[in-house]
Amino acid sequence: MKSKAQELAESLFRLKQDLSVYEVIAANSDRLRDCEYNKFLSYVYWRSQSSIIVRLCSIYETQIEKDKAYSLSSISGIRKSIINGDLEISELILTEFLKLYPCDDPTIIDRTKQFLHSTKQFGFQNKQVIKELKKYRDTQLAHHETGIEIKSLPSFAEMDSLYKFAYLFCKVVVSTEGLLRFTDDRILMDTKKTLGKLIDADFMELESILK
């Protein structure tokens, strides 16, 4: 049976693929608008966007502390496992994590507790973005509710920020298991090459949203 950390790592790998496809199509939408495959690319764009939303919502799903009926492989679920002593963390990667996401409570000395606090802190700081994603998932993807107005979704930068935090969080708990082989950008490059052929352009000319 896969561990929670393994399941989170696999979900992050798929999320990275979806983000790469979404990023290239969105960044080059003006050039792709007149492409004869525009309808297909619009469908791929929508599917990657939907998948990003669903995966981010599952990754940031809250594990109810008192609920023993199910156990989540989300950040919240893994955080609970660490508190219970069911998961070990990498001290080396923990140092990298705390440099990027420092604990804002100077009274916490223990590094594992700093890690747990920083994780909770990040969730609180991004509460509104996560709430917007979950609202879209619940009302437009999982169900089609009438009378629900969603003016816009979080930006690519905001969704990418959620991914990067989850990636480093995952790295802290699974680095020793050798599961983090999802950092290469082959999907990004393959998407650029494919789109380059469709619009007869050098794929190196295609834009990326985040430099």
Side-chain angles (χ1 to χ4, degrees), residues 140-203:
Q140 306 300 312
L141 297 178
H143 309 283
H144 291 283
E145 293 187 26
T146 59
I148 302 296
E149 182 181 7
I150 297 179
K151 296 181 179 179
S152 63
L153 284 167
S155 67
F156 177 85
E158 289 173 315
M159 293 189 290
D160 188 64
S161 176
L162 292 179
Y163 162 76
K164 287 177 177 175
F165 177 86
Y167 165 75
L168 194 52
F169 172 90
C170 187
K171 198 173 179 181
V172 172
V173 296
V174 303
S175 60
T176 55
E177 299 178 40
L179 293 171
L180 294 182
R181 294 190 295 269
F182 51 86
T183 57
D184 66 72
D185 286 324
R186 282 179 292 180
I187 291 293
L188 180 64
M189 294 304 297
D190 285 350
T191 303
K192 284 188 174 184
K193 289 178 181 178
T194 300
L195 296 184
K197 289 180 180 179
L198 293 179
I199 62 175
D200 193 27
D202 185 341
F203 76 92

Coordinates of all heavy atoms in Angstrom, one line a residue, residues 140-203:
Q140 N -18.9 24.2 -10.0 CA -18.8 24.1 -11.5 C -18.3 22.8 -12.0 O -18.6 22.4 -13.1 CB -17.9 25.3 -12.0 CG -18.3 26.7 -11.5 CD -19.7 27.1 -12.0 OE1 -20.0 26.9 -13.1 NE2 -20.5 27.5 -11.0
L141 N -17.4 22.1 -11.3 CA -16.8 20.9 -11.7 C -17.5 19.7 -11.1 O -18.0 18.8 -11.9 CB -15.3 20.9 -11.4 CG -14.5 21.9 -12.1 CD1 -13.1 21.8 -11.6 CD2 -14.6 21.8 -13.6
A142 N -17.6 19.6 -9.8 CA -18.3 18.5 -9.2 C -19.8 18.6 -9.3 O -20.5 17.5 -9.5 CB -17.9 18.4 -7.7
H143 N -20.3 19.8 -9.3 CA -21.8 20.0 -9.4 C -22.0 21.3 -10.3 O -21.1 22.1 -10.3 CB -22.5 20.2 -8.1 CG -22.2 19.2 -7.1 ND1 -22.8 17.9 -7.1 CD2 -21.3 19.1 -6.1 CE1 -22.3 17.2 -6.1 NE2 -21.4 17.9 -5.5
H144 N -23.1 21.4 -10.9 CA -23.4 22.6 -11.7 C -24.5 23.3 -11.0 O -25.7 23.1 -11.3 CB -23.8 22.2 -13.1 CG -22.7 21.7 -13.9 ND1 -21.7 22.5 -14.5 CD2 -22.3 20.4 -14.3 CE1 -20.8 21.8 -15.1 NE2 -21.2 20.5 -15.0
E145 N -24.1 24.2 -10.1 CA -25.1 25.0 -9.3 C -25.5 26.2 -10.1 O -24.7 26.9 -10.7 CB -24.6 25.4 -8.0 CG -24.3 24.2 -7.0 CD -23.9 24.6 -5.6 OE1 -24.3 25.7 -5.2 OE2 -23.2 23.8 -5.0
T146 N -26.8 26.5 -10.1 CA -27.3 27.7 -10.7 C -27.3 28.9 -9.7 O -27.3 28.7 -8.5 CB -28.8 27.5 -11.1 OG1 -29.6 27.2 -10.0 CG2 -28.9 26.4 -12.2
G147 N -27.2 30.1 -10.2 CA -27.2 31.3 -9.4 C -25.8 31.5 -8.7 O -25.7 32.4 -7.9
I148 N -24.8 30.8 -9.1 CA -23.5 31.0 -8.5 C -22.6 31.8 -9.5 O -22.4 31.3 -10.6 CB -22.8 29.6 -8.2 CG1 -23.6 28.8 -7.2 CG2 -21.4 29.9 -7.6 CD1 -23.8 29.4 -5.9
E149 N -22.2 32.9 -9.1 CA -21.4 33.8 -10.0 C -19.9 33.7 -9.6 O -19.6 34.0 -8.5 CB -21.9 35.2 -9.9 CG -21.1 36.2 -10.9 CD -21.6 37.6 -10.8 OE1 -22.4 37.9 -10.0 OE2 -21.1 38.4 -11.7
I150 N -19.1 33.3 -10.5 CA -17.6 33.3 -10.3 C -17.0 34.1 -11.4 O -16.9 33.8 -12.5 CB -17.1 31.8 -10.4 CG1 -17.7 30.9 -9.3 CG2 -15.6 31.8 -10.3 CD1 -17.3 29.5 -9.3
K151 N -16.6 35.3 -10.9 CA -16.1 36.3 -11.9 C -14.7 35.9 -12.4 O -14.4 36.2 -13.6 CB -16.0 37.7 -11.2 CG -17.4 38.2 -10.8 CD -17.3 39.6 -10.1 CE -18.7 40.1 -9.7 NZ -18.6 41.4 -9.1
S152 N -13.9 35.3 -11.6 CA -12.5 35.0 -12.1 C -11.9 33.9 -11.2 O -12.4 33.7 -10.0 CB -11.6 36.2 -12.1 OG -11.4 36.7 -10.8
L153 N -10.9 33.2 -11.7 CA -10.2 32.2 -10.9 C -8.9 32.8 -10.4 O -8.4 33.8 -11.0 CB -10.0 31.0 -11.8 CG -11.1 30.1 -12.0 CD1 -10.8 29.1 -13.1 CD2 -11.5 29.3 -10.7
P154 N -8.3 32.2 -9.4 CA -6.9 32.7 -9.0 C -6.0 32.7 -10.2 O -6.1 31.9 -11.2 CB -6.5 31.7 -8.0 CG -7.8 31.2 -7.4 CD -8.8 31.2 -8.5
S155 N -5.0 33.6 -10.2 CA -4.1 33.7 -11.3 C -3.2 32.4 -11.4 O -3.1 31.7 -10.4 CB -3.2 34.9 -11.2 OG -2.4 34.8 -10.0
F156 N -2.5 32.3 -12.5 CA -1.5 31.2 -12.7 C -0.4 31.3 -11.6 O 0.0 30.3 -11.0 CB -0.9 31.2 -14.1 CG 0.2 30.1 -14.3 CD1 -0.2 28.8 -14.6 CD2 1.5 30.4 -14.0 CE1 0.8 27.8 -14.7 CE2 2.5 29.4 -14.1 CZ 2.1 28.1 -14.5
A157 N 0.0 32.5 -11.4 CA 1.1 32.7 -10.4 C 0.6 32.3 -9.0 O 1.4 31.7 -8.2 CB 1.5 34.2 -10.3
E158 N -0.6 32.5 -8.6 CA -1.1 32.1 -7.3 C -1.2 30.5 -7.3 O -0.9 29.9 -6.2 CB -2.5 32.7 -7.1 CG -2.5 34.2 -6.8 CD -3.8 34.8 -6.7 OE1 -4.7 34.5 -7.6 OE2 -4.1 35.6 -5.8
M159 N -1.7 29.9 -8.3 CA -1.8 28.5 -8.4 C -0.4 27.8 -8.4 O -0.1 26.8 -7.7 CB -2.6 28.0 -9.6 CG -4.0 28.4 -9.5 SD -5.1 27.7 -10.7 CE -4.6 28.5 -12.2
D160 N 0.6 28.5 -9.1 CA 1.9 28.0 -9.1 C 2.6 28.1 -7.7 O 3.4 27.2 -7.3 CB 2.7 28.7 -10.2 CG 4.1 28.1 -10.4 OD1 4.2 27.0 -10.9 OD2 5.1 28.8 -10.1
S161 N 2.2 29.2 -7.0 CA 2.8 29.3 -5.7 C 2.3 28.2 -4.7 O 3.1 27.7 -3.9 CB 2.3 30.7 -5.1 OG 2.7 30.9 -3.8
L162 N 1.0 27.8 -4.9 CA 0.5 26.7 -4.1 C 1.2 25.4 -4.4 O 1.5 24.6 -3.5 CB -1.0 26.6 -4.3 CG -1.9 27.7 -3.8 CD1 -3.4 27.4 -4.2 CD2 -1.8 27.9 -2.3
Y163 N 1.5 25.2 -5.7 CA 2.2 24.0 -6.1 C 3.6 24.0 -5.5 O 4.1 23.0 -5.0 CB 2.3 23.9 -7.6 CG 3.4 23.0 -8.1 CD1 3.2 21.6 -8.0 CD2 4.7 23.5 -8.5 CE1 4.3 20.7 -8.4 CE2 5.7 22.6 -8.9 CZ 5.5 21.2 -8.8 OH 6.5 20.4 -9.2
K164 N 4.3 25.1 -5.6 CA 5.7 25.2 -5.1 C 5.8 24.9 -3.6 O 6.7 24.2 -3.2 CB 6.3 26.5 -5.5 CG 6.7 26.7 -7.0 CD 7.2 28.0 -7.3 CE 7.6 28.1 -8.8 NZ 8.0 29.4 -9.2
F165 N 4.9 25.5 -2.9 CA 4.9 25.2 -1.4 C 4.6 23.7 -1.2 O 5.3 23.1 -0.4 CB 3.8 26.0 -0.7 CG 3.7 25.7 0.7 CD1 4.5 26.4 1.6 CD2 2.8 24.8 1.2 CE1 4.4 26.1 3.0 CE2 2.7 24.5 2.6 CZ 3.6 25.1 3.5
A166 N 3.6 23.1 -1.9 CA 3.3 21.7 -1.7 C 4.4 20.8 -2.1 O 4.7 19.8 -1.5 CB 2.0 21.4 -2.5
Y167 N 5.1 21.2 -3.1 CA 6.3 20.5 -3.6 C 7.4 20.4 -2.6 O 7.9 19.3 -2.2 CB 6.8 21.1 -4.9 CG 8.2 20.6 -5.3 CD1 8.4 19.3 -5.8 CD2 9.3 21.4 -5.1 CE1 9.7 18.9 -6.1 CE2 10.6 20.9 -5.4 CZ 10.8 19.7 -5.9 OH 12.0 19.2 -6.2
L168 N 7.7 21.5 -2.0 CA 8.8 21.6 -1.0 C 8.3 20.9 0.3 O 9.1 20.2 1.0 CB 9.2 23.0 -0.7 CG 10.5 23.2 0.1 CD1 11.6 22.4 -0.6 CD2 10.9 24.6 0.2
F169 N 7.1 21.0 0.7 CA 6.5 20.3 1.8 C 6.6 18.8 1.6 O 7.1 18.1 2.5 CB 5.0 20.7 2.0 CG 4.3 19.8 3.0 CD1 4.3 20.2 4.3 CD2 3.7 18.6 2.7 CE1 3.6 19.5 5.3 CE2 3.0 17.9 3.6 CZ 3.0 18.3 4.9
C170 N 6.3 18.4 0.4 CA 6.4 16.9 0.1 C 7.8 16.5 0.1 O 8.1 15.4 0.6 CB 5.8 16.7 -1.3 SG 5.6 14.9 -1.8
K171 N 8.7 17.3 -0.3 CA 10.1 17.0 -0.4 C 10.7 16.7 1.0 O 11.5 15.9 1.3 CB 10.9 18.1 -1.0 CG 12.3 17.7 -1.5 CD 12.9 18.9 -2.3 CE 14.3 18.5 -2.8 NZ 14.9 19.6 -3.5
V172 N 10.2 17.5 2.0 CA 10.6 17.3 3.4 C 10.2 15.9 3.9 O 11.0 15.3 4.7 CB 9.9 18.4 4.3 CG1 10.2 18.1 5.8 CG2 10.5 19.8 4.0
V173 N 9.1 15.4 3.5 CA 8.6 14.1 4.0 C 8.9 12.9 3.2 O 8.8 11.7 3.6 CB 7.1 14.1 4.4 CG1 6.8 15.2 5.5 CG2 6.3 14.4 3.1
V174 N 9.3 13.1 1.9 CA 9.5 11.9 1.1 C 10.9 11.9 0.4 O 11.2 10.9 -0.3 CB 8.5 11.8 -0.1 CG1 7.1 11.7 0.4 CG2 8.6 12.9 -1.1
S175 N 11.7 12.8 0.7 CA 13.1 12.9 0.1 C 13.9 11.6 0.3 O 14.6 11.1 -0.6 CB 13.9 14.1 0.6 OG 14.1 14.0 2.0
T176 N 13.7 11.0 1.4 CA 14.5 9.8 1.7 C 13.9 8.6 1.0 O 14.6 7.5 0.9 CB 14.5 9.5 3.2 OG1 13.1 9.4 3.7 CG2 15.2 10.6 4.0
E177 N 12.7 8.7 0.4 CA 12.2 7.6 -0.3 C 12.5 7.6 -1.8 O 12.1 6.8 -2.6 CB 10.6 7.5 -0.1 CG 10.2 7.3 1.4 CD 8.7 7.4 1.6 OE1 8.0 6.8 0.7 OE2 8.3 8.0 2.5
G178 N 13.2 8.7 -2.2 CA 13.6 8.8 -3.6 C 12.4 8.9 -4.6 O 12.4 8.4 -5.7
L179 N 11.4 9.7 -4.2 CA 10.2 9.7 -5.0 C 10.0 11.1 -5.8 O 9.1 11.2 -6.5 CB 8.9 9.6 -4.1 CG 8.7 8.2 -3.5 CD1 7.6 8.3 -2.5 CD2 8.4 7.2 -4.6
L180 N 11.0 12.0 -5.5 CA 10.8 13.3 -6.1 C 11.5 13.4 -7.5 O 12.4 14.1 -7.7 CB 11.4 14.3 -5.2 CG 10.6 14.5 -3.9 CD1 11.1 15.6 -3.0 CD2 9.1 14.7 -4.2
R181 N 11.1 12.6 -8.4 CA 11.6 12.6 -9.8 C 10.7 13.3 -10.7 O 10.5 13.0 -11.9 CB 11.9 11.2 -10.3 CG 12.9 10.5 -9.5 CD 13.3 9.2 -10.1 NE 12.2 8.2 -10.2 CZ 12.0 7.3 -9.2 NH1 12.8 7.2 -8.2 NH2 11.0 6.5 -9.3
F182 N 10.0 14.4 -10.2 CA 9.0 15.1 -11.0 C 9.4 16.6 -11.2 O 8.6 17.4 -11.4 CB 7.6 15.0 -10.5 CG 7.5 15.3 -9.0 CD1 7.3 16.6 -8.6 CD2 7.5 14.3 -8.1 CE1 7.2 16.9 -7.3 CE2 7.4 14.7 -6.7 CZ 7.2 16.0 -6.3
T183 N 10.7 16.8 -11.1 CA 11.1 18.2 -11.2 C 11.5 18.6 -12.6 O 11.7 19.8 -12.9 CB 12.3 18.5 -10.3 OG1 13.4 17.6 -10.6 CG2 11.9 18.2 -8.8
D184 N 11.7 17.7 -13.5 CA 12.1 18.1 -14.9 C 11.0 18.7 -15.6 O 9.8 18.5 -15.3 CB 12.7 16.8 -15.7 CG 11.6 15.8 -15.9 OD1 10.7 16.1 -16.8 OD2 11.6 14.7 -15.3
D185 N 11.3 19.5 -16.7 CA 10.3 20.2 -17.4 C 10.1 19.6 -18.8 O 9.9 20.3 -19.8 CB 10.7 21.7 -17.5 CG 10.5 22.4 -16.2 OD1 9.5 22.1 -15.5 OD2 11.3 23.3 -15.9
R186 N 10.2 18.3 -18.9 CA 10.0 17.7 -20.2 C 8.6 17.9 -20.8 O 8.4 18.1 -22.0 CB 10.3 16.1 -20.2 CG 11.8 15.8 -20.2 CD 12.1 14.4 -20.1 NE 11.7 13.9 -18.7 CZ 11.8 12.6 -18.4 NH1 12.3 11.7 -19.2 NH2 11.4 12.2 -17.2
I187 N 7.6 17.9 -19.9 CA 6.2 18.1 -20.4 C 6.1 19.6 -20.9 O 5.5 19.8 -22.0 CB 5.2 17.9 -19.2 CG1 5.1 16.5 -18.9 CG2 3.8 18.5 -19.7 CD1 4.5 15.6 -20.0
L188 N 6.8 20.5 -20.2 CA 6.8 21.9 -20.7 C 7.4 22.0 -22.1 O 6.9 22.7 -23.0 CB 7.5 22.8 -19.7 CG 7.6 24.3 -20.0 CD1 6.2 24.9 -20.0 CD2 8.5 25.0 -19.0
M189 N 8.6 21.4 -22.2 CA 9.3 21.5 -23.5 C 8.5 20.7 -24.6 O 8.4 21.2 -25.7 CB 10.7 20.8 -23.3 CG 11.6 21.6 -22.4 SD 11.8 23.4 -22.9 CE 12.6 23.2 -24.5
D190 N 7.9 19.6 -24.3 CA 7.2 18.8 -25.3 C 5.9 19.6 -25.7 O 5.6 19.6 -26.9 CB 6.7 17.5 -24.7 CG 7.8 16.5 -24.6 OD1 8.9 16.8 -25.2 OD2 7.7 15.4 -24.0
T191 N 5.3 20.3 -24.8 CA 4.1 21.1 -25.1 C 4.6 22.3 -26.1 O 3.9 22.6 -27.1 CB 3.5 21.7 -23.9 OG1 3.1 20.6 -23.0 CG2 2.2 22.5 -24.2
K192 N 5.7 22.9 -25.8 CA 6.2 24.0 -26.6 C 6.5 23.5 -28.0 O 6.2 24.1 -29.0 CB 7.4 24.6 -26.0 CG 7.1 25.6 -24.8 CD 8.4 26.3 -24.4 CE 8.1 27.3 -23.3 NZ 9.3 28.1 -22.9
K193 N 7.1 22.3 -28.1 CA 7.5 21.8 -29.4 C 6.2 21.4 -30.2 O 6.2 21.7 -31.4 CB 8.3 20.5 -29.2 CG 9.7 20.7 -28.7 CD 10.5 19.4 -28.5 CE 11.9 19.7 -27.9 NZ 12.6 18.4 -27.6
T194 N 5.2 20.9 -29.5 CA 4.0 20.5 -30.2 C 3.3 21.8 -30.7 O 2.8 21.8 -31.9 CB 3.0 19.7 -29.3 OG1 3.7 18.6 -28.9 CG2 1.7 19.4 -30.0
L195 N 3.2 22.8 -29.9 CA 2.5 24.0 -30.3 C 3.3 24.7 -31.4 O 2.7 25.3 -32.3 CB 2.3 24.9 -29.1 CG 1.4 24.4 -28.0 CD1 1.2 25.5 -26.9 CD2 0.0 24.1 -28.6
G196 N 4.6 24.6 -31.3 CA 5.5 25.2 -32.3 C 5.2 24.6 -33.7 O 5.1 25.4 -34.7
K197 N 5.0 23.3 -33.7 CA 4.7 22.7 -35.0 C 3.3 23.1 -35.5 O 3.1 23.3 -36.7 CB 4.8 21.2 -34.8 CG 6.2 20.6 -34.6 CD 6.2 19.1 -34.5 CE 7.6 18.6 -34.3 NZ 7.7 17.1 -34.1
L198 N 2.4 23.2 -34.6 CA 1.0 23.6 -35.0 C 0.9 25.0 -35.6 O 0.1 25.3 -36.5 CB 0.0 23.5 -33.8 CG -0.2 22.1 -33.3 CD1 -1.2 22.2 -32.1 CD2 -0.8 21.2 -34.4
I199 N 1.7 25.9 -35.1 CA 1.7 27.3 -35.7 C 2.9 27.6 -36.5 O 3.2 28.8 -36.9 CB 1.6 28.3 -34.5 CG1 2.8 28.3 -33.6 CG2 0.3 28.1 -33.7 CD1 2.8 29.3 -32.5
D200 N 3.7 26.6 -36.8 CA 4.9 26.7 -37.7 C 5.8 27.8 -37.1 O 6.2 28.8 -37.8 CB 4.5 27.1 -39.1 CG 5.7 27.0 -40.1 OD1 6.6 26.2 -39.8 OD2 5.7 27.7 -41.1
A201 N 6.2 27.6 -35.8 CA 7.1 28.5 -35.2 C 8.2 27.8 -34.4 O 8.0 26.6 -34.0 CB 6.3 29.5 -34.2
D202 N 9.3 28.4 -34.2 CA 10.4 27.8 -33.4 C 9.9 27.7 -31.9 O 9.5 28.7 -31.4 CB 11.6 28.7 -33.4 CG 12.8 28.0 -32.7 OD1 12.6 27.1 -31.9 OD2 13.9 28.4 -33.0
F203 N 9.9 26.5 -31.3 CA 9.3 26.4 -30.0 C 10.1 27.2 -29.0 O 9.5 27.6 -27.9 CB 9.3 24.9 -29.6 CG 10.7 24.4 -29.2 CD1 11.1 24.4 -27.8 CD2 11.5 23.8 -30.1 CE1 12.3 23.9 -27.5 CE2 12.8 23.3 -29.7 CZ 13.2 23.3 -28.4

